[in-house]
C-alpha cells in the first residue's frame, strides 16, 4: 500500500491513546510499507511501526495472523522483538490489515564486513528462540524450512536450476526429516530481519514466517545468510554463538545447512534489490551464487561424512 489513509492514521493514534496524533510518516522499506509513525505530543509514545496489508488477500491474512501470534509469544518470553501495541486482522477498524508495534533500537543496514562478535551474537539470537517449546497451531503451523510459503523447488523447475541444487534436492528427498521436539522459530532469520547497535543484536523483525519447528531451521538460516553476506567462514562464528548460548551442540547441522541453501533460486539476482536497500550494493548475483554454492557444497560433504 503506497499511501496511508486518514482512517488508518486515526486507528493508529487511537491505539496509542493519550490524545496523540500522527505528526510524521516515513517508509522503512524502499520508502514504503512498513511505516514509521511519529506522534505528538510525544509523552505517551514518541513513535511506532505500522505494517499494512490487503484484507482481501488470503496470503496477507495468513501472514498477519502469524505475525501477531509470534509477537505475542515473543513478548511472553521476553525475546528480542517489538511489543505489540494493536492489530486489526480483518481491516474493519483500520481500513486495512494492520499491525502496530513499538520501535526497537538499532539499524538493519548490513555492513560490508562483520566482526566475529557480531556473528556470534546473531547465533545467540537464534538460540534464544530454541529455548521456547512450541506445538504447532493454526497461526503458528509446523515449519520444515525457512520462508515456508515459497515453493523454491517449483520455481526452480519453472525458471531453471543447477546440477548442485538438483543434487541437494534429491539428497533431501532421500532423507527423513529429523525428529524431535518443536520449538518457536522465526522462519526467515537473515540480517535484513535483525536490528543492531554496534555488534549487539537489539531485535528481530518480520515474524510473518514464524511457527513451530526444529531449532535447526533458524540456525541453518542464520548460518547461510552469514555465508552469503560475509563469506563461508562467517557461518562458523554463528554456530559458535548459538552453541554457547544454547549450552549444547547443534543437532543435524549439515542437514539444516542444506535445507537453508535450497531456499533459493538458481539465479541469485532475485536477492539483489533487497540487499541494495539494506546497504550492500557490492553483492551481485555472481558473488551470491558463488557463496551459495560454496556453502551448499560444504554442507553436502559434511552430510556425506555424517552418514558414513
Amino acid at each position: 500500500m503506497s499511501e496511508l489513509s486518514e482512517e488508518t492514521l486515526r486507528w493508529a493514534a487511537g491505539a496509542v491513546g493519550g490524545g496523540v496524533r500522527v505528526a510524521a510518516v516515513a517508509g522503512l522499506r524502499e520508502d514504503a510499507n512498513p511505516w514509521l509513525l511519529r506522534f505528538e505530543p510525544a509523552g505517551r509514545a514518541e513513535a511506532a511501526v505500522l505494517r499494512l496489508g490487503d484484507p482481501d488477500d488470503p496470503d496477507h491474512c495468513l501472514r498477519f495472523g502469524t505475525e501477531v501470534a509470534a509477537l505475542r509469544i515473543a513478548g511472553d518470553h521476553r525475546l528480542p522483538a517489538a511489543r505489540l501495541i494493536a492489530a486489526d486482522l480483518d481491516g474493519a477498524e483500520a481500513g486495512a490489515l494492520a499491525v502496530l508495534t513499538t520501535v526497537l533500537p538499532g539499524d538493519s543496514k548490513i555492513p560490508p564486513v562483520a566482526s566475529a562478535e557480531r556473528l556470534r551474537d546473531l547465533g545467540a539470537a537464534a538460540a534464544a528462540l530454541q529455548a521456547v517449546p512450541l506445538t504447532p497451531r493454526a497461526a503458528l503451523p509446523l515449519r520444515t524450512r525457512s520462508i515456508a510459503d515459497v515453493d523454491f523447488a517449483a520455481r526452480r523447475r519453472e525458471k531453471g536450476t543447477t546440477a548442485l541444487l538438483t543434487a541437494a534436492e534429491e539428497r533431501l528427498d532421500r532423507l527423513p526429516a529429523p525428529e524431535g521436539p518443536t520449538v518457536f522459530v522465526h522462519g526467515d532469520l537473515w540480517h535484513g530481519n535483525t536490528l543492531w547497535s554496534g555488534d549487539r543484536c537489539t531485535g528481530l523483525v518480520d515474524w510473518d514466517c514464524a511457527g513451530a519447528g526444529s531449532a535447526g531451521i533458524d540456525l541453518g538460516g542464520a548460518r547461510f545468510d552469514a555465508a552469503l553476506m560475509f563469506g563461508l567462514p562467517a557461518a562458523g562464528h554463528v554456530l559458535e554463538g548459538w552453541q554457547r548460548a544454547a549450552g549444547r551442540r547443534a543437532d543435524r547441522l549439515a542437514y539444516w545447512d542444506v535445507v537453508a541453501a535450497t531456499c533459493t533460486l538458481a539465479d541469485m539476482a532475485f536477492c539483489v534489490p533487497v540487499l541494495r536497500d539494506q546497504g550492500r550494493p557490492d553483492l551481485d548475483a555472481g558473488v551470491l551464487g558463488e557463496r551459495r554454492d560454496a556453502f551448499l557444497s560444504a554442507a553436502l560433504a559434511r552430510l556425506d561424512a555424517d552418514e558414513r
Side-chain angles (χ1 to χ4, degrees), residues 172-215:
L172 292 175
D173 287 343
R174 294 195 301 267
L175 292 173
E179 297 181 354
T182 54
V183 298
F184 187 38
V185 298
H186 180 278
D188 189 13
L189 188 51
W190 74 290
H191 259 83
N193 284 340
T194 60
L195 295 171
W196 297 84
S197 178
D199 286 333
R200 182 174 65 89
C201 181
T202 57
L204 309 180
V205 299
D206 291 0
W207 292 83
D208 54 351
C209 292
S214 168

Side-chain angles (χ1 to χ4, degrees), residues 156 161-171:
R156 287 194 293 269
T161 188
T162 69
L164 181 61
L165 283 166
T166 298
E169 283 184 50
E170 292 174 349
R171 191 63 177 285

